[in-house]
Amino acid sequence: MKVLVIEDEKKLASYLQKGLNSEGFVVDVAHNGIDGLHLATEGHYELIILDGMLPDLDGLGVLAALRQTMNIPVLMLTARSMVEDRVKGLQAGADDYLTKPFAFSELVARVHALARRAKGQAGAVAESSHLSLADLELDAVKRHAKRAGQDLRLTAKEFSLLWLLLRRKGEVLSRTELAELVWDMHFDSETNVVDVAVRRLRSKMDEPFDQPLLHTVRGMGYVLEQRQVEQAL
């Protein structure tokens, strides 16, 4: 796997390069935003580790430029711990966020997680960029969802959740599996992130329409399927 590290702290950049090399990654390094953006667009990388504070062009600027033409996974690094800073990075298109100082083992785990997610998404798109069920249609390339011809206006996570459910339509998926595959997190019984996301998805995808497609299987999880009207819960 070929990784680009864009980090102006040369000691940290060298440390990351050596450490990731030892993990089997091929790593290039840039020490400012302009050089990093040039390498990112020309070097055919599979993942970018991007520092938020860079000379010439900061991390958000690099990210904004990348997202105009590329969907490469980006892990942002920052010395800022404020929630709003992390939110800005994620809203700008970062796939994950890590605050300095961090454990190298955690960075490696996040890199592997992003790589698995990207591989899974690439496989899904290769398998089919368009999925449908009844009057529901999803376009993976355009990240677009419609039902009965109406735009659903889903968030990125809602789209990922619906894409997974639709790709495995008719199959009951547990909360644990959904948490791992969509949020890349181990399910915690005290965390309701899956249930909240399902409720929001239903409010957009099912409630405005006559026939529900997303069903709860008590004690097991959720399933996306077309049921006879008299059987729908």
Side-chain angles (χ1 to χ4, degrees):
M1 185 175 182
K2 194 175 180 183
V3 176
L4 174 62
V5 174
I6 308 176
E7 168 61 65
D8 65 323
E9 296 180 37
K10 293 186 178 181
K11 288 185 178 179
L12 177 57
S14 177
Y15 170 72
L16 292 177
Q17 184 176 37
K18 291 177 181 177
L20 289 170
N21 282 339
S22 70
E23 294 286 334
F25 297 97
V26 176
V27 183
D28 289 337
V29 172
H31 296 299
N32 62 70
I34 293 176
D35 289 344
L37 181 59
H38 175 73
L39 284 176
T41 54
E42 299 293 332
H44 305 290
Y45 297 96
E46 295 168 86
L47 186 138
I48 295 174
I49 298 174
L50 175 64
D51 184 33
M53 300 294 290
L54 293 167
D56 301 329
L57 181 65
D58 68 11
L60 290 179
V62 173
L63 186 58
L66 285 174
R67 286 296 177 250
Q68 291 181 13
T69 57
M70 304 174 69
N71 289 321
I72 183 172
V74 174
L75 170 61
M76 287 202 75
L77 306 178
T78 181
R80 295 174 175 176
S81 59
M82 297 295 291
V83 172
E84 52 265 36
D85 291 321
R86 298 198 297 273
V87 169
K88 285 181 182 178
L90 294 171
Q91 288 179 336
D95 297 275
D96 202 354
Y97 218 94
L98 196 56
T99 303
K100 299 176 183 178
F102 53 82
F104 179 73
S105 58
E106 181 179 4
L107 179 135
V108 171
R110 288 174 183 258
V111 166
H112 281 299
L114 287 174
R116 288 196 304 270
R117 190 184 307 166
K119 183 178 180 181
Q121 290 172 346
V125 172
E127 177 184 328
S128 174
S129 63
H130 186 273
L131 295 178
S132 63
L133 174 67
D135 56 355
L136 175 67
E137 299 178 72
L138 266 69
D139 187 322
V141 175
K142 296 180 179 179
R143 303 284 290 181
H144 195 230
K146 285 186 176 183
R147 184 159 186 197
Q150 298 182 32
D151 293 338
L152 297 184
R153 300 184 181 277
L154 304 180
T155 66
K157 284 300 183 186
E158 288 166 352
F159 185 92
S160 297
L161 175 62
L162 182 55
W163 177 265
L164 175 62
L165 288 163
L166 187 52
R167 195 157 59 91
R168 296 172 63 175
K169 60 187 176 184
E171 180 180 346
V172 179
L173 299 178
S174 69
R175 290 171 176 81
T176 299
E177 190 169 8
L178 292 172
E180 290 179 348
L181 293 175
V182 178
W183 286 269
D184 194 47
M185 60 180 282
H186 294 296
F187 183 72
D188 184 338
S189 59
E190 297 182 357
T191 300
N192 64 348
V193 61
V194 176
D195 297 320
V196 170
V198 167
R199 284 199 298 270
R200 290 177 177 170
L201 181 58
R202 275 182 170 146
S203 71
K204 298 178 181 180
M205 186 193 74
D206 274 351
E207 290 178 7
F209 303 94
D210 293 333
Q211 183 181 16
L213 296 176
L214 180 52
H215 306 277
T216 301
V217 182
R218 290 186 178 88
M220 297 180 67
Y222 299 100
V223 59
L224 192 73
E225 62 183 5
Q226 185 176 16
R227 296 179 177 179
Q228 296 298 323
V229 174
E230 63 270 18
Q231 294 177 338
L233 297 177

